[in-house]
Amino acid sequence: METPPSLPFPSQLEKPSISTRLNTYISTTKVGKHFKLTERNTTFTTELRAGTATFLTMAYILAVNASILADSGGTCSISDCLTLCSDPTIPLTDCKPPTHRVITPTDSCKFPPVNPGYSACLDQTRKDLIVATVVSSLIGCLIMGLLANLPLALAPGMGMNAYFAYTVVGFHGSGNVPYKSALAAIFIEGLIFLFVSAIGLRTQLAKLVPKPVRISSSAGIGLFLAFIGLQSNQGIGLIGYSSSTLVTLGACPRNSRVALAPIITATNGTFSLIPERSGYGAVSADILCLNHKMESPTFWLGVVGFIIIAYCLVKNIKGAMIYGIVFVTGISWFRNTSVTVFPNTELGNLGYEYFKKVVDVHVIKTTAGALSFKAIGKGYFWEALVTFLYVDILDTTGTLYSMARFAGFTDANGDFEGQYFAFMSDAASIVVGSLLGTSPVTAYIESSTGIREGGRTGLTALTVAGYFFLAFFFTPLLASIPAWAVGPPLILVGVMMMRSVVEIEWDNMNQAIPAFVTMILMPLTYSIAYGLIGGIGTYIVLNIWDWGESLLRKLGIKKGIRGNNSHKEASNGINNGVNGDDKTFEV
């Protein structure tokens, strides 16, 4: 007779894991009920993992945003440039004619060879902007997580920072709007955006922009970012200047690059520099390769970083951008190499001393509260403001809706729970960001990474906020990331932003032409605004005749010949449809 199997004692039953018990406990607390963990079929640990994945895919913005915005010069000006002797090795007190002369700073002090005083100011500004990026992102994620309860992360937007730095303010202040006035434009735009979001007009305004322009603008911004990432100033340096073709292959070493200056040829054959005004007479960065193309060590290191990021993206490995940046940056931190970010110069030594601190609580000194409303009466100020507002309405609204659809939050009408506070959170973050000195804050498409990991509540956004808080203490490391480490992420962000082109109706020329004009003008004019203006203008020109015809029909002015002369046609026995051509004569 077989003995029946004995049942296990309660002590022999497998106990729930620590994470399971933690998830069960938190789901029953006020925190779990506030974030609706059970209702949205998620857990506390899942939200933490999702927030970690989101942060890893967007943390590149901490270094990239500060680097791009620092190219505007920030609050630095000629007043920060030091008075030097014609021979930099001679102290100013010993700089006496006729063998030497004192050089009074001009606009050229901001361009290579950069004046030591201006360079030190830029270094301070870059550190300030890293902290501004951290704080604005932190506040945006907190608002999104606590009030909207959505798994969306916010940070200063890619594309808008480039428009701010290279078009509105211009490279080292060579644009039409000073840095402080540009911040004022963002501040006013943020308040308008906040008002528009509060009264519910945001979606309606986004729909006023022509569809092909709306779709192609993100692709155009992607091309713009990729173009920046391919240059030497803020990228890997593959593209250089050519006097005959404008751009050409570059990637030559630092000692093989030279700067350029615009000149005027007089009737007698002599040359003179163009006077420095609005940047037209400014000396460029070292953009011209004299020789040794494709031999730059930093370029090839950047290529390795590009391959690492690209491979991780292909294999769907989380944190792809970070792996590439960390690898390139880590190698660049070694001194006495051909790829070091700390060359044996005065500035290189200062940078290395700051880097060795590792942990440092940096306090914003120059960019916070730097708003100036002196240019509010100028057209360029309002052009920038309107462009900021337009892109924010399109980009942020589109990102919010697409992420909500991806997470399965939207209903039949396209609305989703928490959308009001979601709209308010990024609008409020824009205002905060402008007060700190950074470009507009927006919801990040990289939030899809966290959603893919299972993030469904605001705890994902709060986790991202926690990581941004930790980043606040590591400013020395973030300030030492080189341009050739930033370039690869810019290029690959451009790749990801190009996905929208599949939504364009390329068989319909009314849609395809404005979309293409929008995309191509953004990188080639180095301006998002010009791309938008070109696309919208082209769309209006191509459709204005049809709109006119439609208006005339509605007003009853445009009629067919059959309607006016039907009796006459009948009496003459004429039938316009005999030959199969049912035509009308239009008035």
Side-chain angles (χ1 to χ4, degrees):
M1 182 177 179
E2 294 184 1
T3 304
S6 59
L7 296 175
F9 291 102
S11 60
Q12 294 177 305
L13 294 174
E14 184 179 351
K15 293 183 179 180
S17 63
I18 295 176
S19 61
T20 301
R21 283 181 287 172
L22 178 65
N23 291 329
T24 303
Y25 169 74
I26 292 181
S27 64
T28 60
T29 63
K30 291 183 178 180
V31 172
K33 293 177 181 179
H34 172 77
F35 290 105
K36 301 180 179 180
L37 293 176
T38 303
E39 294 178 33
R40 297 188 181 179
N41 194 29
T42 185
T43 63
F44 178 71
T45 54
T46 298
E47 296 295 307
L48 294 181
R49 185 175 68 251
T52 302
T54 298
F55 178 79
L56 287 175
T57 56
M58 65 178 291
Y60 66 88
I61 189 62
L62 295 174
V64 175
N65 187 60
S67 296
I68 291 177
L69 294 182
D71 280 346
S72 70
T75 57
C76 301
S77 63
I78 302 176
S79 61
D80 295 295
C81 296
L82 302 177
T83 301
L84 301 174
C85 183
S86 55
D87 184 352
T89 61
I90 303 297
L92 197 60
T93 53
D94 298 333
C95 187
K96 298 177 182 179
T99 55
H100 303 95
R101 62 186 177 87
V102 175
I103 300 178
T104 303
T106 62
D107 273 340
S108 61
C109 74
K110 300 183 292 184
F111 303 93
V114 180
N115 185 283
Y118 186 78
S119 182
C121 180
L122 281 182
D123 184 58
Q124 174 66 43
T125 298
R126 188 163 183 260
K127 297 172 185 175
D128 287 350
L129 289 170
I130 290 175
V131 177
T133 302
V134 169
V135 176
S136 59
S137 304
L138 171 62
I139 293 174
C141 291
L142 284 175
I143 298 174
M144 181 67 76
L146 291 174
L147 299 181
N149 193 23
L150 291 172
L152 305 178
L154 293 89
M158 294 295 293
M160 290 306 292
N161 51 10
Y163 172 67
F164 177 94
Y166 302 119
T167 302
V168 179
V169 182
F171 186 61
H172 293 297
S174 59
N176 296 300
V177 182
Y179 174 80
K180 295 181 178 181
S181 297
L183 290 179
I186 295 175
F187 177 75
I188 297 174
E189 177 262 332
L191 293 178
I192 296 173
F193 198 34
L194 191 62
F195 174 76
V196 168
S197 301
I199 62 176
L201 283 178
R202 188 161 164 178
T203 306
Q204 285 71 17
L205 287 175
K207 292 178 180 178
L208 291 177
V209 180
K211 181 182 177 181
V213 178
R214 188 166 63 244
I215 294 173
S216 62
S217 60
S218 62
I221 293 173
L223 291 173
F224 187 16
L225 293 175
F227 189 48
I228 294 171
L230 288 169
Q231 299 175 52
S232 60
N233 182 61
Q234 193 55 56
I236 60 178
L238 179 62
I239 293 178
Y241 172 77
S242 169
S243 58
S244 56
T245 60
L246 191 59
V247 291
T248 186
L249 201 65
C252 57
R254 298 170 186 170
N255 55 8
S256 297
R257 297 197 301 260
V258 294
L260 300 176
I263 61 173
I264 298 176
T265 305
T267 54
N268 60 0
T270 59
F271 302 96
S272 61
L273 286 173
I274 296 177
E276 296 176 3
R277 59 179 187 275
S278 301
Y280 294 111
V283 179
S284 73
D286 50 351
I287 58 176
L288 178 64
C289 277
L290 296 178
N291 45 47
H292 302 295
K293 291 184 179 181
M294 300 298 292
E295 295 181 17
S296 169
T298 57
F299 163 73
W300 288 109
L301 180 58
V303 169
V304 174
F306 175 88
I307 294 173
I308 291 173
I309 298 174
Y311 181 81
C312 290
L313 290 174
V314 169
K315 296 300 181 180
N316 200 25
I317 298 174
K318 306 298 184 297
M321 301 289 184
I322 295 301
Y323 297 146
I325 293 177
V326 168
F327 176 81
V328 175
T329 301
I331 293 179
S332 301
W333 281 346
F334 289 98
R335 301 203 74 179
N336 301 316
T337 67
S338 59
V339 296
T340 183
V341 73
F342 306 116
N344 291 316
T345 62
E346 182 180 353
L347 291 176
N349 293 332
L350 289 174
Y352 187 65
E353 290 301 317
Y354 182 68
F355 162 75
K356 288 192 297 184
K357 291 183 179 180
V358 180
V359 177
D360 179 51
V361 180
H362 180 81
V363 179
I364 300 178
K365 299 178 181 178
T366 62
T367 61
L371 286 72
S372 173
F373 296 90
K374 293 181 180 179
I376 197 169
K378 298 182 179 180
Y380 289 112
F381 179 91
W382 291 99
E383 176 190 339
L385 189 152
V386 171
T387 303
F388 282 133
L389 180 61
Y390 158 75
V391 175
D392 278 332
I393 289 174
L394 286 186
D395 183 53
T396 309
T397 306
T399 301
L400 286 173
Y401 275 114
S402 62
M403 290 299 97
R405 285 195 302 270
F406 184 63
F409 294 153
T410 54
D411 56 22
N413 298 322
D415 298 324
F416 57 93
E417 183 182 358
Q419 70 176 13
Y420 178 80
F421 284 110
F423 290 159
M424 294 291 288
S425 63
D426 57 10
S429 300
I430 291 172
V431 176
V432 173
S434 66
L435 294 174
L436 294 171
T438 187
S439 52
V441 178
T442 181
Y444 259 56
I445 197 72
E446 284 84 353
S447 300
S448 60
T449 306
I451 295 174
R452 193 182 303 120
E453 287 290 324
R456 291 296 181 273
T457 73
L459 282 175
T460 297
L462 292 183
T463 302
V464 177
Y467 282 115
F468 276 123
F469 177 75
L470 292 177
F472 177 75
F473 299 96
F474 295 96
T475 305
L477 300 183
L478 297 173
S480 303
I481 298 176
W484 50 92
V486 174
L490 287 178
I491 299 169
L492 289 164
V493 167
V495 173
M496 292 184 285
M497 294 183 73
M498 285 297 294
R499 71 184 67 179
S500 63
V501 298
V502 299
E503 301 177 33
I504 300 171
E505 300 177 28
W506 293 107
D507 293 333
N508 182 351
M509 288 296 105
N510 269 342
Q511 304 286 321
I513 295 175
F516 180 77
V517 169
T518 302
M519 286 190 293
I520 200 66
L521 286 184
M522 285 185 182
L524 296 187
T525 62
Y526 227 67
S527 169
I528 295 173
Y530 293 153
L532 297 176
I533 292 171
I536 294 174
T538 304
Y539 184 84
I540 292 173
V541 170
L542 294 178
N543 289 277
I544 193 169
W545 181 264
D546 294 334
W547 294 340
E549 284 186 334
S550 178
L551 179 62
L552 291 177
R553 287 195 189 97
K554 290 180 180 179
L555 296 175
I557 299 175
K558 179 176 177 179
K559 299 178 180 178
I561 197 170
R562 289 173 296 161
N564 294 334
N565 303 310
S566 57
H567 176 71
K568 183 177 180 180
E569 291 177 359
S571 62
N572 293 334
I574 299 175
N575 185 356
N576 290 335
V578 169
N579 296 323
D581 297 326
D582 188 17
K583 299 180 180 179
T584 59
F585 179 76
E586 299 173 343
V587 180

